[in-house]
Amino acid sequence: MADNFVAEAFTLLAIGLVVIALRWISRLLTVGFSKLAADDYLMIIAGALYSAETTVAYYVGAKWKGLANSGLTPEQRAAIDPQGEEYRLRVGGSKNQLVGWLTYTVLLWTLKFCMLIFYSRLTDGVNGLRLRIRIGAVILALTFLATFLTIILGCQPVRGHWQINPDPGNFCQPAISKLQVAVLITLNITTDIYLMSVPLPMIWASRLTPKKKWVLSVMFSGGILITVFGLLRCILILTSGENGPQQAGEWSIRESFVAVIVGNLPMLYTLFQRLQQRPKSWNKSSENKRSYPLNSYRTGGSSKKAKKFHHPLSMPNDTAMDSDERIVVEPKQDQESTGRTFHHGDDRIQENGIRVQTDLHIESSSGETQSQAERRNDYTRFQDSKL
C-alpha cells in the first residue's frame, strides 16, 4: 500500500474520532450525561468500527500486498502453488476483503440508525412524522440484513470467497463482486434518500429565515455526498481490474469518513452556535444594561445559577432547535406556572415556559429611574428538549 494512502487513512481516522469527541462535548454541554440518548452511545460503536475498518483497509496493502482471488486467468490460477507465498497472500487478502465489506456495511448502517434516532427526537410530537420514523427503522433493519446476508451468502459455499482454483466466479470474489456492489449501492442510496426526506420538509415548512433554511437543508442533505462517494467507490472497484482490492479498501475509508462527519454535523453545528453566542451575550451584558444573559441571573437571592433556556426555532406549533434537538414540538396545554421566576431584560421567564411581559424600570447609579411603555404579548411556551 502506498505510503500516501496510509497517511491519508489514519489522518482521516484521527479527524473522525475528534469529530465524535466534539459531538460528545456538545451533547454533554447541552443536556448533561444523564440525558444522553441511544445515538450518542451508538456513535462510540461507530468510532470503534471506523477504527477497525481503517485497520482492515491498511492490511489490504501492508500485509496482503493488494492481492485477492480476483484478477487471474484460469492458467494463472492453476500455476499458483497451494503451498506457496502467493497462494497464502491471495487467500488472506480475500478473507480480508470479506471482513472489510462486513465492517464497512455495519459501520454505514450504524451511522444511519444514529441519524434516525436523532430525527426521532427532532420530530417528537409532530403528527405524521412519528410514523415515518418507525417506517424508517423497519427499512434500515431490512436493508441491513439484506446487505449483510448478501455479502456472506451471495457466494456458496462460503469458503468460495477465498477460493483460488478453480475460479469461483465473480460473486465469490469479494474485492470486485458485482452482486455485492449492486445490492450495496442500491440499498445505500435508497436509505440515504429516505433519511433525508424526514427533516427537509419540516425545515421548509418552518418560519425560519431563508438563509437558515438553506444552512439546515445543506447540513441534513449530507447523504447526497455519501451517495456520491459510494458511487465512485463502486465504479472504481468494477473498473480497476487487478487494482480492485486496493481501490475497495481506499474508497471504503473515504466514504466512511464522509459518513462519520455527516452523522455528527448537527451536533457540531450546535456546539459552534454555543461558542458564537456566548461571547455575544457577554458583550451585550457589559455594554447594554438592558440586555442580560439568562445564566447571569440568580433566583430569589439564591446563590445557584438559574436554569438555562434555549430560544425556540420559530416554527409552526412552537419549536426548539438551538439546542440541537426538537425542531418541532406540539404545544402543551396551558398550565399555571408555579416555578421560579427569572428576570431577563424585558422578559419574565418562568420555569414551566416563557411569559413575555414588559414591565421595565431601570435605576441608574444616581438614583434616576427610566420607564418604558408597557406592552404585553401572548404566551409562548416551549418544553425542554427530550434528549
Side-chain angles (χ1 to χ4, degrees):
M1 180 175 287
D3 291 339
N4 57 348
F5 174 69
V6 173
E8 176 190 355
F10 285 97
T11 299
L12 294 180
L13 173 62
I15 295 173
L17 295 179
V18 168
V19 166
I20 293 174
L22 289 176
R23 172 212 176 92
W24 264 71
I25 292 174
S26 176
R27 294 283 288 144
L28 289 173
L29 290 174
T30 303
V31 301
F33 185 81
S34 63
K35 290 187 177 180
L36 292 175
D39 54 317
D40 298 312
Y41 297 102
L42 273 180
M43 193 57 68
I44 294 180
I45 296 176
L49 289 168
Y50 184 33
S51 301
E53 184 192 19
T54 302
T55 303
V56 171
Y58 168 74
Y59 278 158
V60 168
K63 186 172 183 178
W64 308 115
K65 312 302 180 185
L67 298 176
N69 64 347
S70 55
L72 295 169
T73 64
E75 292 76 18
Q76 290 173 325
R77 292 179 182 277
I80 296 177
D81 181 7
Q83 304 301 320
E85 179 67 7
E86 181 180 357
Y87 187 91
R88 184 187 71 84
L89 290 174
R90 289 190 177 277
V91 170
S94 299
K95 292 178 180 179
N96 194 103
Q97 289 289 335
L98 182 62
V99 173
W101 272 100
L102 295 174
T103 306
Y104 165 81
T105 300
V106 175
L107 172 59
L108 281 189
W109 262 260
T110 298
L111 293 171
K112 292 176 193 289
F113 272 107
C114 284
M115 290 302 296
L116 188 67
I117 295 171
F118 172 62
Y119 291 159
S120 72
R121 295 200 302 278
L122 289 178
T123 60
D124 189 19
V126 182
N127 294 332
L129 290 180
R130 174 59 61 184
L131 176 60
R132 189 179 297 181
I133 293 293
R134 291 173 179 169
I135 293 174
V138 174
I139 290 175
L140 289 184
L142 293 178
T143 52
F144 169 73
L145 288 175
T147 306
F148 194 87
L149 294 177
T150 297
I151 295 172
I152 296 178
L153 304 178
C155 171
Q156 291 296 321
V158 175
R159 64 176 179 273
H161 284 293
W162 52 87
Q163 179 176 309
I164 306 299
N165 190 41
D167 187 347
N170 178 267
F171 288 3
C172 293
Q173 297 174 12
I176 60 171
S177 171
K178 294 179 181 179
L179 175 63
Q180 294 178 14
V181 167
V183 171
L184 179 76
I185 197 62
T186 301
L187 299 183
N188 192 20
I189 292 176
T190 301
T191 51
D192 283 342
I193 292 175
Y194 187 88
L195 288 175
M196 287 187 291
S197 73
V198 175
L200 292 183
M202 193 166 49
I203 291 172
W204 286 96
S206 72
R207 297 171 188 162
L208 291 170
T209 62
K211 179 180 178 180
K212 194 160 189 177
K213 285 181 180 180
W214 278 109
V215 171
L216 292 175
S217 296
V218 170
M219 182 174 66
F220 288 119
S221 298
I224 296 175
L225 191 58
I226 299 173
T227 299
V228 170
F229 271 77
L231 283 171
L232 287 174
R233 176 178 186 264
C234 293
I235 292 171
L236 289 171
I237 287 174
L238 296 177
T239 59
S240 296
E242 293 182 359
N243 293 326
Q246 190 79 27
Q247 293 292 336
E250 293 179 5
W251 281 92
S252 67
I253 293 302
R254 292 164 185 150
E255 183 183 355
S256 297
F257 171 75
V258 174
V260 168
I261 299 300
V262 169
N264 290 283
L265 198 56
M267 286 67 179
L268 297 184
Y269 175 80
T270 301
L271 179 61
F272 293 147
Q273 275 200 325
R274 291 174 65 90
L275 294 176
Q276 289 177 354
Q277 291 172 358
R278 185 165 295 180
K280 291 181 181 179
S281 67
W282 291 342
N283 292 336
K284 288 181 180 179
S285 65
S286 62
E287 296 175 4
N288 187 347
K289 293 182 180 298
R290 291 190 298 172
S291 178
Y292 301 90
L294 288 178
N295 58 6
S296 68
Y297 280 85
R298 307 180 187 277
T299 63
S302 172
S303 62
K304 294 183 179 179
K305 290 186 178 180
K307 183 178 178 181
K308 296 180 182 179
F309 287 85
H310 300 287
H311 294 286
L313 189 66
S314 299
M315 298 187 70
N317 299 331
D318 293 346
T319 60
M321 169 59 190
D322 276 353
S323 63
D324 89 22
E325 303 293 343
R326 206 81 180 272
I327 284 186
V328 180
V329 293
E330 289 184 341
K332 285 191 171 183
Q333 294 181 352
D334 289 339
Q335 304 176 19
E336 295 255 345
S337 177
T338 59
R340 298 172 293 177
T341 300
F342 309 94
H343 296 285
H344 172 218
D346 294 348
D347 299 339
R348 179 168 298 165
I349 297 161
Q350 298 177 344
E351 207 169 42
N352 293 340
I354 292 183
R355 178 180 181 180
V356 181
Q357 173 180 320
T358 300
D359 187 5
L360 180 64
H361 299 279
I362 299 177
E363 184 173 342
S364 67
S365 58
S366 62
E368 295 179 354
T369 302
Q370 298 177 350
S371 63
Q372 285 186 331
E374 292 190 356
R375 56 186 173 88
R376 295 182 180 274
N377 296 329
D378 294 334
Y379 279 100
T380 303
R381 296 183 178 277
F382 69 90
Q383 178 185 348
D384 285 341
S385 302
K386 293 182 179 180
L387 298 155

